[in-house]
C-alpha cells in the first residue's frame, strides 16, 4: 500500500468486436480492452464499505450494494472504504459494470493483503458481475482483467471461460460512438432468452453462425486481414439485427460509419434500444472529427497491434 494514496485499482472497459449474446450460450466472442475504464480507490477504515455516488437511482444503488457485498465477503471483509470514478460512458455496452467489478476486486484484494493474481481478481469480480447481469458470460470481466484482445469462450457453470490471446500484426483501430440510451443488459439478455426458448432451433442456428464469425474474425486479425475482419463485423451486425437486438438508431449509426469509410461497423455489447456502435478504420481521425462536429459522443481506440512511435494511446 502507498501510504499517501491508499489502495488503487483499475478496471478497463471493453469492446466486443464479434460474438456478443451468442457468447452467453457457449459460443466464442472476440473482445478487447479500452484504455478508458473505472478507477477505484481505498482508504483504511474500521469497516468494509463502498461509497455510492449520490447521482445513482435507488435501484442502481441497491444492485451496487448487493454486488459489493458479495465481493467483500469473497475477500473476508477487509477494513477499507472504497470510492470510484470513471471516464467510460456508462450503460452503453462498453463493459462499465465489468470494469467496476475488476477495479473493486483489485482494491479489496490489496486491502486484504492478498497478491491479486489475475485469477484471484477475476474470481472476486465474477461475484459482482453475477449480481449485475444475472447470467453473464464472463467476457467483460475477463477482458478487463487480461487487458488484451482475446477469443473468449464460456464454460457453462464455471467461474470463467477459456481465453486465448489474439495477436495482431497490424493496428486494429476503432471509432466508438454513442447512439442513444438503452435498457439494462440484464433486460436485453433476458428478453432474448425468452425468444430463444420459444424458437430454440432457429435461434441456436444463428448463435452457432455468430460463433463461427468470431473465430473467423480472430483468424483475420492474426493474418492482418482488416478488410476480412470488417466484413465479418458487417455480417455479425446483420445477425444481431435478425435476433432483434438492433434499433433504427443503431442501424443508422452503423450505416453512417460505413459511409465514412469504415471497413466494418456493428453494434457492440447488449444493444437493444441504443448503446455504442463501433467502426473499424485504417485511420480513425477524420471520422472522429466529423462525428464530434455533428454532436455525437465518440472516441477512438486501438484494441491490438503495434503502436506507431508518438501515436495517441487507445482512448
Ligand atoms: O452491454 P454490456 O457491456 O453489458 O455487454 C454485454 C455482453 C453480452 O454478451 C450481451 C452479455 C454477456 O454476459 O456476455
Amino acid at each position: 500500500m502507498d501510504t499517501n494514496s491508499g489502495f488503487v485499482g483499475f478496471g478497463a472497459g471493453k469492446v466486443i468486436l464479434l460474438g456478443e449474446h451468442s457468447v452467453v450460450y457457449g459460443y466464442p466472442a472476440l473482445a478487447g480492452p479500452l484504455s478508458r475504464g473505472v478507477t477505484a480507490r481505498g482508504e483504511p477504515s474500521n469497516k468494509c464499505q463502498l461509497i455510492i455516488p449520490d447521482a445513482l437511482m435507488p435501484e442502481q444503488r441497491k444492485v451496487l450494494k448487493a454486488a459489493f457485498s458479495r465481493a467483500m465477503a469473497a475477500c473476508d471483509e477487509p477494513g477499507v472504504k472504497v470510492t470510484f470514478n470513471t471516464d467510460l460512458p456508462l450503460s452503453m455496452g462498453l463493459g462499465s459494470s465489468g470494469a467496476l467489478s475488476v477495479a473493486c476486486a483489485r482494491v479489496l484484494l490489496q486491502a486484504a493483503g492478498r497478491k491479486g493474481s489475475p485469477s484471484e481478481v477475476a474470481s472476486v469480480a465474477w461475484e459482482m458481475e453475477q449480481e449485475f447481469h444475472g447470467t453473464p458470460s464472463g467476457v467483460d470481466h475477463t477482458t478487463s482483467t487480461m487487458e488484451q484482445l482475446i477469443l473468449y469462450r464460456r464454460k457453462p457453470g464455471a467461474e470463467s471461460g477459456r481465453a486465448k490471446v489474439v495477436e495482431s500484426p497490424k493496428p486494429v483501430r476503432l471509432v466508438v460512438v454513442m447512439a442513444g440510451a438503452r435498457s439494462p443488459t440484464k433486460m436485453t439478455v433476458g428478453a432474448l432468452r425468452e425468444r430463444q426458448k420459444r424458437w430454440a432451433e432457429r435461434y441456436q442456428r444463428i448463435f452457432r453462425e455468430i460463433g463461427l464469425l468470431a473465430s473467423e474474425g480472430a483468424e483475420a486479425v492474426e493474418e492482418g486481414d482488416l478488410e476480412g475482419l470488417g466484413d465479418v463485423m458487417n455480417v455479425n451486425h446483420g445477425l444481431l439485427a435478425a435476433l432483434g437486438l438492433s434499433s433504427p438508431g443503431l442501424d443508422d449509426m452503423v450505416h453512417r460509419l460505413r459511409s465514412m469509410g469504415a471497413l466494418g461497423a456493428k453494434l457492440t455489447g447488449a444493444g437493444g434500444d441504443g448503446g455504442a456502435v463501433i467502426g473499424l478504420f485504417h485511420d480513425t481521425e477524420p471520422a472522429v472529427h466529423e462525428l464530434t462536429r455533428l454532436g455525437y459522443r465518440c472516441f477512438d481506440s486501438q484494441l491490438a497491434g503495434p503502436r506507431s512511435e508518438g501515436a495517441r494511446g487507445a482512448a
Side-chain angles (χ1 to χ4, degrees):
M1 170 183 162
D2 174 338
T3 44
N4 292 320
S5 56
F7 308 103
V8 182
F10 177 72
K14 68 92 200 22
V15 164
I16 299 183
L17 267 177
L18 299 161
E20 47 275 272
H21 287 286
S22 40
V23 68
V24 174
Y25 297 88
Y27 297 99
L30 184 64
L34 296 168
S35 69
R36 292 178 177 230
V38 176
T39 302
R41 291 175 206 281
E43 297 295 335
S45 166
N46 52 10
K47 67 176 197 185
C48 190
Q49 57 177 323
L50 177 69
I51 305 302
I52 300 177
D54 291 338
L56 292 191
M57 307 295 283
E59 186 52 33
Q60 293 172 313
R61 302 178 75 83
K62 206 170 120 197
V63 175
L64 196 45
K65 218 169 153 205
F68 188 77
S69 294
R70 286 177 72 150
M72 77 188 197
C75 295
D76 303 323
E77 304 197 13
V80 64
K81 183 170 88 176
V82 181
T83 56
F84 65 90
N85 58 53
T86 181
D87 55 0
L88 203 60
L90 301 180
S91 299
M92 280 286 154
L94 301 175
S96 49
S97 65
L100 176 62
S101 303
V102 168
C104 287
R106 289 199 160 124
V107 165
L108 285 168
L109 286 164
Q110 286 169 46
R114 306 230 300 252
K115 252 170 88 191
S117 64
S119 66
E120 266 186 315
V121 171
S123 169
V124 175
W126 174 246
E127 292 296 324
M128 292 185 70
E129 272 291 83
Q130 287 176 90
E131 203 63 42
F132 288 130
H133 283 317
T135 54
S137 65
V139 68
D140 284 23
H141 79 284
T142 305
T143 311
S144 182
T145 304
M146 292 179 67
E147 292 192 35
Q148 277 173 299
L149 183 66
I150 55 170
L151 188 65
Y152 175 87
R153 191 161 190 167
R154 176 187 193 192
K155 274 195 258 160
E159 215 167 68
S160 60
R162 279 192 309 267
K164 175 182 168 282
V165 174
V166 178
E167 304 282 358
S168 177
K170 288 197 184 152
V172 178
R173 296 195 180 105
L174 297 180
V175 170
V176 184
V177 54
M178 302 331 123
R182 50 153 238 192
S183 322
T185 298
K186 205 171 178 171
M187 275 175 62
T188 314
V189 169
L192 177 62
R193 186 172 293 285
E194 290 311 309
R195 291 199 292 283
Q196 73 85 37
K197 264 194 218 152
R198 190 158 170 207
W199 298 293
E201 206 183 301
R202 179 159 56 246
Y203 277 70
Q204 283 300 326
R205 216 158 59 216
I206 300 178
F207 293 151
R208 204 162 40 241
E209 180 57 33
I210 294 177
L212 289 172
L213 294 177
S215 300
E216 283 169 23
E219 276 169 30
V221 169
E222 283 173 339
E223 287 163 9
D225 177 11
L226 295 182
E227 279 78 14
L229 175 63
D231 186 66
V232 180
M233 288 168 68
N234 287 336
V235 176
N236 192 169
H237 182 78
L239 292 178
L240 287 165
L243 292 171
L245 296 163
S246 194
S247 66
L250 290 168
D251 287 343
D252 282 354
M253 185 51 73
V254 163
H255 290 292
R256 190 184 283 270
L257 289 175
R258 288 179 194 156
S259 72
M260 289 175 161
L263 304 168
K266 63 181 274 292
L267 71 84
T268 187
D273 302 333
V277 173
I278 51 174
L280 177 71
F281 286 84
H282 287 303
D283 178 9
T284 51
E285 232 174 297
V288 168
H289 185 266
E290 178 62 4
L291 289 163
T292 307
R293 193 187 66 77
L294 293 169
Y296 290 104
R297 197 154 51 122
C298 66
F299 58 91
D300 57 356
S301 183
Q302 182 175 328
L303 282 204
R307 287 168 201 280
S308 54
E309 202 70 25
R312 285 172 304 162

